[in-house]
């Protein structure tokens, strides 16, 4: 099932002046949605589509988090976007945050199905621009590979699977230390697991661990409350790294693409972003030496500005291509994209 299923009415759990929070279903998976900007009107999709053809429509920004993260990672950026009057949504991907768990089997196809439903819902309201960090960058690129999905542009931030760090390569090999950890006859005490997580998480996510936000760090450390949870996440990470080996078909990417590489990223090296840029010739590349793996946490204001500037450019280019295609003689073929 790929069509979005909406609960009636959505189970709204929070509604403040900046970020609206609700629970909805996409492709059968219940998840949490954070949304900012003007609320969609009550017009039917057909009337809204007809009105869109008469005048430009602002892009719909869809923000996707990384592995073991949640939509909350985008809260600082959402606040910036709300202040500027932009519309955006961030969701918990299946398996993370408050979303339903992933089913047994390959992870990326399940995330693809979920994102397809989300894109189709948002495309009714305006041109969809995806911005994904880490795993979110991976599934954004995979969506851009499909000619059937209405994606106007993609911002890929630290997507793995190209030139990865020693840490990701270590997880992929699942070396002796990890195997021993997973097979210990006695579990490691919970307070030891949490203490290690509290030391590692700020260093892995931020450019400068000393500037890490305590609330954001706690979200990650709560994912590793004990030995059992930690071994489960390690195994899931190993599976995901294996899937990354065949995740991309970049020759199919025709949509505008902005690749963001971060110089202080300890999980996905800046060289990874540079390689992605070289594999998609029409893409643009931004390298920031002062950003870590999650620049939405390091510098939310700059990320919000970057995404909105790119989205405006991408949707303008899309309208230009559509207008050029409409003006061609009947029977003239136009390039895909």
């Amino acid at each position: 099932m790929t069509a979005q299923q909406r609960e009636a009415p959505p189970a709204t759990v929070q509604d403040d002046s900046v970020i609206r929070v609700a629970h909805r279903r996409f492709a059968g998976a219940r998840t949490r949605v954070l949304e900012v900007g003007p609320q969609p009107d009550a017009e039917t999709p057909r009337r809204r589509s007809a009105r869109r053809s008469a005048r430009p429509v602002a892009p719909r920004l869809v923000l996707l988090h990384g592995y073991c993260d949640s939509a909350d990672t985008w809260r600082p950026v959402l606040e910036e976007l709300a202040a500027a009057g932009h519309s955006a949504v961030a969701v918990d991907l299946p398996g993370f945050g408050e979303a339903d768990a992933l089913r047994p089997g390959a992870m990326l196809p399940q995330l693809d199905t979920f994102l397809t439903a989300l894109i189709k819902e948002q495309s009714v309201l305006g041109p969809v621009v995806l911005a994904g960090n880490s795993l979110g960058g991976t599934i954004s690129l995979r969506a851009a590979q499909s000619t059937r999905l209405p994606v106007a542009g993609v911002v890929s931030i630290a997507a793995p699977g190209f030139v990865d760090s020693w840490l990701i390569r270590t997880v992929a090999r699942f070396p002796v230390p990890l195997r021993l950890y997973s097979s210990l006859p006695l579990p490691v005490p919970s307070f030891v697991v949490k203490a290690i997580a509290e030391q590692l998480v700020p260093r892995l996510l931020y450019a400068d661990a000393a500037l890490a936000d305590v609330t954001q760090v706690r979200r990650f450390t709560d994912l590793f409350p004990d030995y059992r949870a930690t071994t489960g996440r390690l195994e899931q990470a190993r599976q995901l790294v294996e899937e990354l080996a065949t995740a991309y078909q970049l020759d199919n990417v025709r949509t505008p693409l902005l690749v963001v590489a971060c110089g202080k990223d300890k999980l996905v090296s800046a060289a990874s972003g540079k390689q992605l840029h070289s594999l998609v010739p029409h893409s643009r590349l931004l390298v920031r030496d002062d950003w870590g793996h999650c620049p939405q946490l390091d510098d939310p204001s700059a990320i919000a500005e970057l995404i909105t500037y790119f989205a405006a450019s991408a949707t303008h280019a899309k309208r230009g291509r559509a207008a050029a295609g409409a003006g061609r003689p009947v029977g003239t073929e136009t390039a895909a994209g």
Side-chain angles (χ1 to χ4, degrees), residues 134 159 199 242:
S134 194
Q199 291 297 315
E242 285 184 353

Side-chain angles (χ1 to χ4, degrees), residues 12 172 198 242 264:
T12 301
E198 288 173 347
E242 285 184 353
K264 292 189 176 181

Side-chain angles (χ1 to χ4, degrees), residues 192-206:
V192 175
V193 173
K194 188 168 184 178
I196 294 173
E198 288 173 347
Q199 291 297 315
L200 286 178
V201 166
R203 289 169 171 78
L204 295 179
L205 301 187
Y206 286 82

